[in-house]
């Protein structure tokens, strides 16, 4: 990142790593379809299978349980389905249970009808209400089909980590299936699908330093899968048809390998985030941090500055060379009231700013942020004095 800009928006999309870029470039020069049986086709296939091993290793899964998609949104749209297959038999999920602070790709309910989706609340820190989940699943009518639960492992706005081992236990006790949206957690906290991470994980390449446009469904076992969303040529063992996005998948694999190697250095990222929060608190003791009373990802802080609308502050930061988010990145580029804050019973129209960093964040970028903040707060004081 050039010294005159600081990119502090890793939860929206992390910068492409050097290794991922090299893997993408290598794959782009390959002419063949990975399904072709000639030597060129087999070379392309090797890249995909290597990426599958790397993505599997990030969450301690078996490579044969990884299915590539175009991103986490497609993975969610595939998994959130009432119609599943177990071997040759059909299996029905009667209802979908999601949390109020989930990403829109989960909250939207996938292929469930709206009246088949139930939303579980979160507390003021944004943590899923386990008792409400247990009680709701207790009322599930098993004769109509299994309960499917989909919840994020870590929140994209607050960075709050859900108690997913406990959630997995509650879902298992209710005889349900758990889909864990691990998009923000992967590469930032250790995840082991063999140990209480749910039955299916959703991953996204561009949140861990890979290219945009690749994601994965990772299954804990090969017993059952949803009816495919995209049918056709039978790629990905029939679970996701269409010629694989070779370059994006190769980059995803390289990023997953680097993310796994980087897990041991997350305390460095936490130190950076903590330094930012200390600076914010020292600059204005009334700055409010959201979710900070819960366990959080090491890279995220979510805060509101009194007297400043998040939207206005974001523009001011951008003009001062700092890229951060007001709420989550939105496809339309609009900034609205945060759904997550609303679900937490917090925040007002002013909204909140999300700052998220990573291993490649430099001291220069942090310095630029501090200078920008000082300038923004000085202008706010000037306005207040003039008023
Ligand atoms: N889930 C979470 C928690 C996210 O933060 C995002 C992206 O913002 C997604 C899912 C969707 O990921 P993708 O961009 O790969 O579709």
């Amino acid at each position: 990142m050039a010294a005159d800009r600081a990119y502090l928006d890793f939860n929206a999309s992390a910068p492409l790593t050097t290794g991922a870029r090299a893997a993408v470039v290598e794959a782009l020069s390959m002419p063949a379809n990975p399904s072709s049986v000639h030597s060129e086709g087999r070379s392309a296939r090797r890249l995909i299978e290597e990426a599958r091993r790397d993505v599997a290793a990030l969450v301690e899964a078996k490579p044969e349980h990884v299915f590539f998609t175009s991103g986490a949104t497609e993975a969610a749209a595939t998994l959130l389905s009432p119609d599943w297959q177990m071997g040759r038999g059909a299996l029905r999920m009667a209802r979908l249970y999601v949390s109020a602070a989930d990403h829109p790709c989960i909250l939207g309910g996938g292929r469930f009808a709206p009246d088949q989706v139930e939303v579980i609340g979160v507390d003021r820190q944004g943590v899923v209400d386990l008792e409400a989940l247990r009680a709701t699943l207790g009322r599930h009518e098993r004769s109509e089909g299994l309960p499917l639960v989909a919840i994020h492992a870590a929140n994209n706005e607050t960075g709050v980590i859900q108690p997913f081992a406990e959630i997995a236990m509650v879902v298992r006790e209710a005889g349900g299936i758990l889909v864990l949206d691990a998009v923000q957690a992967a590469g930032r906290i250790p995840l082991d699908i063999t140990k209480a991470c749910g039955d299916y994980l959703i991953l996204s390449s561009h949140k861990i330093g890979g290219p945009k446009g690749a994601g994965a469904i990772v299954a804990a076992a090969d017993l059952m899968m949803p009816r495919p969303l995209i049918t056709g040529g039978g790629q990905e063992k029939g679970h996701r048809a269409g010629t694989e996005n070779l370059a994006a998948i190769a980059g995803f694999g390289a990023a997953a390998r680097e993310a796994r190697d980087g897990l041991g250095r997350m305390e460095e990222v936490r130190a950076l985030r903590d330094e930012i929060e200390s600076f914010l608190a020292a600059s204005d003791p009334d700055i409010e941090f959201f979710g900070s009373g819960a366990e959080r990802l090491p890279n995220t802080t979510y805060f509101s500055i009194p007297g400043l609308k998040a939207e206005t502050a974001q523009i001011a930061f951008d003009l001062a060379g700092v890229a951060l988010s007001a709420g989550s990145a939105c496809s339309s580029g609009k900034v609205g009231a945060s759904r997550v804050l609303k679900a937490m019973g917090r925040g007002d129209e002013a909204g909140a700013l999300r700052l998220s960093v990573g291993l490649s964040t430099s001291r220069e970028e942090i310095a630029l942020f501090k200078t920008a903040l000082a300038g923004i707060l000085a202008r706010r004081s000037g306005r207040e004095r003039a008023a």
Side-chain angles (χ1 to χ4, degrees), residues 11-12 70-74 103 105 152 154 156 181 183-184 204 206-207 214:
N11 289 13
S70 68
T73 298
E74 185 195 316
H103 188 271
C105 73
H152 58 287
N156 52 318
D181 171 0
V183 165
Q184 296 290 349
S204 175
H206 73 108
K207 307 289 185 176

Side-chain angles (χ1 to χ4, degrees), residues 235-286:
Q235 289 89 347
E236 297 297 295
K237 294 191 189 148
H239 297 301
R240 201 284 186 179
T243 301
E244 298 88 339
N245 185 347
L246 181 64
I249 290 171
F252 183 15
R257 195 164 53 239
E258 290 176 273
R260 188 170 193 241
D261 293 344
L263 277 172
R265 292 179 55 207
M266 277 301 129
E267 284 315 304
E268 294 170 35
V269 173
R270 187 186 302 280
L272 271 188
R273 190 272 312 271
D274 290 352
E275 178 184 335
I276 291 164
E277 287 194 339
S278 300
F279 187 81
L280 280 161
S283 303
D284 179 347
D286 292 329

Side-chain angles (χ1 to χ4, degrees), residues 151-241:
I151 287 177
H152 58 287
N155 191 269
N156 52 318
E157 293 187 23
T158 58
V160 165
I161 299 170
Q162 297 299 341
F164 49 83
E166 283 95 327
I167 292 173
M169 213 119 72
V170 170
V171 175
R172 177 158 304 177
E173 278 164 14
I177 300 295
L178 175 61
V179 170
L180 198 63
D181 171 0
V183 165
Q184 296 290 349
R188 295 183 182 138
I189 55 170
L191 292 172
D192 181 343
I193 198 165
T194 66
K195 293 191 187 124
C197 269
D199 303 287
Y200 299 86
L201 292 183
I202 292 176
L203 302 177
S204 175
S205 160
H206 73 108
K207 307 289 185 176
I208 61 165
K212 295 155 192 60
I217 292 171
V218 185
D222 55 7
L223 280 177
M224 47 196 259
M225 281 292 280
R227 205 164 46 75
L229 181 69
I230 301 174
T231 53
Q235 289 89 347
E236 297 297 295
K237 294 191 189 148
H239 297 301
R240 201 284 186 179

Side-chain angles (χ1 to χ4, degrees), residues 8-11 159 184 188 207 266 269-270 273 276 296-301 355-359:
L8 308 177
D9 201 11
F10 280 53
N11 289 13
Q184 296 290 349
R188 295 183 182 138
K207 307 289 185 176
M266 277 301 129
V269 173
R270 187 186 302 280
R273 190 272 312 271
I276 291 164
R296 280 183 303 164
L297 292 176
N299 79 319
T300 309
T301 181
L355 190 155
S356 48
V357 293
L359 274 172

Side-chain angles (χ1 to χ4, degrees), residues 348-361:
D348 47 29
E349 289 302 297
L353 290 168
R354 176 186 66 186
L355 190 155
S356 48
V357 293
L359 274 172
S360 58
T361 304

